[in-house]
Amino acid sequence: MAHDHARFGSLLHAYGRADDTPGHLAALAGGDPQARDAALGHLWSAVMHQGTPWTVTPPAAAAVAALLADPRPAAPLDAGLRSNLLSFLAAVAESAQPGFDAAELAAMAHPPGRDVDAALAAGEADDEEIWADEELANALYARALLGCREVVPTLLAAAVPLLGDPDATVRAAAAHAVTACATALGPGADPGPLGARLSTAASTAGPDERAALVLAMGELGLAPREYLDDPHPGVRACAALAPALADDPAATAELLAALDDPKATEHWFARRPPQLRGHIRFALVAAAVDRVERPERLLPAALAIAAHAGPHTARSDWGPLLHAIFAPGSVPGTGGALSAAQRHYLHALVANDNLWDPRNGSVGLVFRDAGLPHDREACRAMATAAAPPDPGPR
C-alpha cells in the first residue's frame, strides 16, 4: 500500500506528527507478524486514543477500509486481524458523534482570522503549545470529527460485505461496525433491510455471534423481542439491552435475572460480543439502573455484586447501584432514616474489606456522590441502626 508521507506528516495523532502512520498502515498488509502487531497497537493507541479521534484518523480509517475491501492483499488477513480492524472502524464511526452540530463544528474548524494550516506548517504541533492554545486545539478536534463523519460511508461500504465472512467472529465484528456506521449516518436511512439481514443471520448463528447480531439490531433502534425467549441467557440479556425494549417489563425482568448471578455472566460467551466493553455486567447494571425506578427491585442484583465489589469497578457496577438505591426521594423514610433497601445494601458493602481504604479517592467519590461518608464504622452504624430485613421478592 502506497501512502502520501508528506500528507500524513501534516496530520496529527495522539503522540504528535503522523508521519509514522503510513508505515504502520503498510505493515498491516505485509507478512511480518511483529510489524502487524505494532501497526494494530499504533491504530488503537495513536490513531484512536481512548476513543478520541485525531486529524490522521479519517485517512487512516479509509486506508483500513480499503485493505478490508481488497480481495487479494499482499498477505492474507487472518480472522483475528479482520475482526480487529472492523472493531477499529466501528470505533472511528462511534467517534463521529452525530449529536454535534455540523455548522458549529465547521465554524470551530476554521476560526476567523486564524490560519490553522499555517500554524501546523510552522511547527506549533510539535510541542505542548498547541494544547495550551484552546482555539487551535478546538479547530483540530473539530476537523477530526468532521473528517470521521465524511469517511463513514466508506467504512460502511467496506464492512457490509464482511457480514458474510466465513468466520463467525468476523461476522460479529462486521455487525458491530455496520451498525456503528449506520448510527453515525443519522436517522435518514431505513434500518429495516439491514435489520432483516441481521435477523436472518441470527436465526442460524451460534450463541456468541447471535448475541452480537441481537445487540446490533438493538443499536439500529429495532426491538429484538423474540430473543427474550432465546435458550441462551447471554442472548436473552443482549436482547433485553435494546433501547427499544426499555419499557418492556419482560426485558427489564431479564436484566435483573441475569444480575442475580453476575459472576456467571463472565462465562456466557467464548468470545464476548464486540459491542460489550469491559465486564458484561457493566452494561446490564447501566440498563437496569436506567430502567428500574423502585430501588428494592435493584437490591438482589446489588447484593450479588457487593460480595465481589472492588475499587476498580466503583464507577461501573456497585457504584451506580449505590447511587440508584440512595437517590434523593427514591425511597420513603421516616425522619431521615434509611429505608430497608438502603440498610441492606450498605450492610453488604460494609462487609466487603475491599472498599474502605481511605486513600482510594475514586471509591470515596462514589460514596460522597451518594450522600454517604467513606467511613466504614460510620456506614456500619447507619446500616445496623435497625436489623437489615429480608429484602423479600421483587
Side-chain angles (χ1 to χ4, degrees), residues 77 114 173 181-182 210 295:
L77 308 183
R114 185 71 182 272
C181 290
R210 191 161 70 250

Side-chain angles (χ1 to χ4, degrees), residues 220-282:
L220 286 175
L222 304 174
R225 187 171 282 103
E226 64 272 27
Y227 291 97
L228 294 175
D229 296 321
D230 194 273
H232 192 279
V235 176
R236 295 197 301 270
C238 288
L241 287 170
L245 295 178
D247 295 327
D248 188 305
T252 300
E254 188 60 48
L255 293 174
L256 295 175
L259 287 170
D260 277 346
D261 189 355
K263 293 192 74 174
T265 66
E266 302 305 317
H267 305 288
W268 277 346
F269 306 113
R271 288 186 178 272
R272 184 175 54 199
Q275 296 95 329
L276 298 179
R277 300 179 178 91
H279 294 288
I280 293 171
R281 67 180 184 274
F282 294 169

Side-chain angles (χ1 to χ4, degrees), residues 52-83:
T52 300
W54 304 78
T55 53
V56 75
T57 306
V64 169
L67 177 61
L68 285 169
D70 186 351
R72 291 190 297 270
L77 308 183
D78 60 40
L81 182 57
R82 294 198 302 279
S83 61

Side-chain angles (χ1 to χ4, degrees), residues 4-54:
D4 185 347
H5 283 259
R7 180 169 68 96
F8 274 79
S10 67
L11 301 173
L12 297 174
H13 55 50
Y15 303 112
R17 298 280 177 169
D19 48 11
D20 55 342
T21 299
H24 286 297
L25 293 172
L28 291 172
D32 184 339
Q34 290 185 331
R36 279 188 169 186
D37 288 345
L40 287 173
H42 181 77
L43 290 181
W44 286 108
S45 65
V47 177
M48 277 294 297
H49 184 73
Q50 298 180 355
T52 300
W54 304 78

